[in-house]
Amino acid sequence: MAVWVAHGRDRAGNHSRRPQLQSSSALSVRQGVLYVAIAATAWGTGGAVAAELYDVGGIGPVSVSFWRFLTGLGLLLTAHLVRRTRRPETALSLRATYAANPRRALVTGLGLAVYQTAYFASVQQAGLTVATVVTLGSGPVLVAVGARLTLGERTGAAGTAAVVSGVIGLVLLMGGADGSTGPAPLLGIGYALLSAAGYAGVTLLGRFTGRKNAGGAFEATVTGFAVGTVCLLPMALLEGLLPDMERAAWTLGLILYVGAVPTALAYTLFFVGLGAVRATTASVVALVEPLTAAVIGVLVFDERPNAVVLTGTALLLFAVLFLTLDEGAARAATHRTPAPRADHGRHTSHPATQTKD
């Protein structure tokens, strides 16, 4: 799963300065959509790999998260060094990013650790499909509510419909959850809501600090993963850090995969793709993630959601679509509003473009 942490744009389509991994002129819209779709598909496989690691590695959600963070961090640092070498004028220093707002980096890292670990715990208890849908459906809704309460952001009719749809969908999921998807579905849904709350907290923090325009999206993600790795280490040691190496090659391959594909590769492609597509487009394309998880859950893990759960799933996904429509309407209204005349000096504006599970 992913979260946009730098300049206040979550995957539900809220405002952020576009991260510059690659200039938009070098990437077509079709390529940008493809990159975001590949990233979302990769994120959709992360929970499945975690479920497999529970079986073959004998480790728990905290340890899986730690190995994902550690492996992903190493690869993200490599990608950052490549960027610094090839595009020194656009690649920000990680030290400067952290120094610009250390509190943001610490809270972001802790939030990432909470929401990723709680998501993996939800997969273990409620199953891959329910865990992914509840987390991704509830997260943007919590962001919308939190932004209204803490940042004073208004939501239109579509935003209100998203909240209503999300709440009804969640109620249906909780009422219809049974043992067909996981051993303890209600507990798993609780973990998913904790994950969504962590996601919302990181996103709201990013939106608030984004108004101060400090740091870049990719660099903030790297520093967040560094802090998250440190936060997870002591808890992973208590849970049992080292996996069972009876099937060493398979276990190490899974750890490398979860750090490389749904983490380093997915985040890199996602931020590059955002150089060519709008936030609303990325929000819709990112729905590939829960669909991927659902297909894997049914085909690989033999999960069989009942009709009530499927209805709740659909309503949660519609909530994300409603939020996307609300964002599109807000952006259109902004574009229709004439800019004030600068009668007392030159005013240079920087239009928000867009990110940030």
Side-chain angles (χ1 to χ4, degrees), residues 263-288:
T263 307
L265 176 64
Y267 275 100
T268 301
L269 288 178
F270 184 72
F271 286 126
V272 171
L274 285 175
V277 300
R278 296 178 303 172
T280 50
T281 302
S283 298
V284 175
V285 175
L287 289 177
V288 171

Side-chain angles (χ1 to χ4, degrees), residues 199-296:
Y199 165 88
V202 171
T203 302
L204 290 171
L205 175 68
R207 194 177 306 176
F208 175 77
T209 57
R211 294 174 177 177
K212 300 177 181 179
N213 227 18
F218 184 81
E219 288 76 14
T221 300
V222 177
T223 57
F225 267 87
V227 173
T229 301
V230 174
C231 292
L232 286 169
L233 178 58
M235 294 183 291
L237 288 171
L238 290 175
E239 183 184 66
L241 177 63
L242 299 178
D244 185 355
M245 301 305 289
E246 183 177 350
R247 300 171 60 185
W250 182 237
T251 300
L252 292 175
L254 290 172
I255 291 175
L256 180 61
Y257 179 91
V258 79
V261 177
T263 307
L265 176 64
Y267 275 100
T268 301
L269 288 178
F270 184 72
F271 286 126
V272 171
L274 285 175
V277 300
R278 296 178 303 172
T280 50
T281 302
S283 298
V284 175
V285 175
L287 289 177
V288 171
E289 179 180 349
L291 295 178
T292 299
V295 169
I296 295 174

Side-chain angles (χ1 to χ4, degrees), residues 15-27:
H15 292 289
S16 172
R17 182 168 60 90
R18 178 174 299 171
Q20 297 296 324
L21 289 189
Q22 180 172 333
S23 65
S24 58
S25 60
L27 198 69

Side-chain angles (χ1 to χ4, degrees), residues 27-283:
L27 198 69
S28 69
V29 173
R30 180 176 299 180
Q31 287 175 313
V33 170
L34 177 63
Y35 283 13
V36 173
I38 293 173
T41 303
W43 285 324
T45 66
V49 175
E52 182 68 10
L53 273 171
Y54 297 151
D55 292 334
V56 301
I59 53 178
V62 179
S63 296
V64 171
S65 291
F66 171 79
W67 288 113
R68 176 186 183 176
F69 271 60
L70 182 64
T71 307
L73 176 62
L75 295 172
L76 287 170
L77 286 172
T78 302
H80 173 72
L81 292 176
V82 171
R83 287 187 61 223
R84 294 273 289 180
T85 301
R86 294 184 177 181
R87 297 177 177 272
E89 70 282 358
T90 59
L92 301 177
S93 165
L94 293 179
R95 181 179 298 178
T97 301
Y98 179 83
N101 196 332
R103 180 178 298 179
R104 182 188 70 174
L106 293 173
V107 176
T108 295
L110 179 60
L112 284 170
V114 169
Y115 107 78
Q116 297 277 6
T117 304
Y119 168 67
F120 285 153
S122 179
V123 170
Q124 187 180 46
Q125 300 298 331
L128 180 61
T129 302
V130 172
T132 306
V133 169
V134 172
T135 300
L136 291 183
S138 302
V141 172
L142 291 177
V143 169
V145 174
R148 181 68 180 92
L149 296 177
T150 63
L151 302 179
E153 295 185 3
R154 296 183 179 276
T155 56
T160 303
V163 174
V164 173
S165 179
V167 171
I168 295 175
L170 182 60
V171 170
L172 289 176
L173 277 168
M174 294 181 67
D178 54 28
S180 61
T181 59
L186 289 180
L187 176 61
I189 289 175
Y191 281 131
L193 291 175
L194 176 61
S195 176
Y199 165 88
V202 171
T203 302
L204 290 171
L205 175 68
R207 194 177 306 176
F208 175 77
T209 57
R211 294 174 177 177
K212 300 177 181 179
N213 227 18
F218 184 81
E219 288 76 14
T221 300
V222 177
T223 57
F225 267 87
V227 173
T229 301
V230 174
C231 292
L232 286 169
L233 178 58
M235 294 183 291
L237 288 171
L238 290 175
E239 183 184 66
L241 177 63
L242 299 178
D244 185 355
M245 301 305 289
E246 183 177 350
R247 300 171 60 185
W250 182 237
T251 300
L252 292 175
L254 290 172
I255 291 175
L256 180 61
Y257 179 91
V258 79
V261 177
T263 307
L265 176 64
Y267 275 100
T268 301
L269 288 178
F270 184 72
F271 286 126
V272 171
L274 285 175
V277 300
R278 296 178 303 172
T280 50
T281 302
S283 298

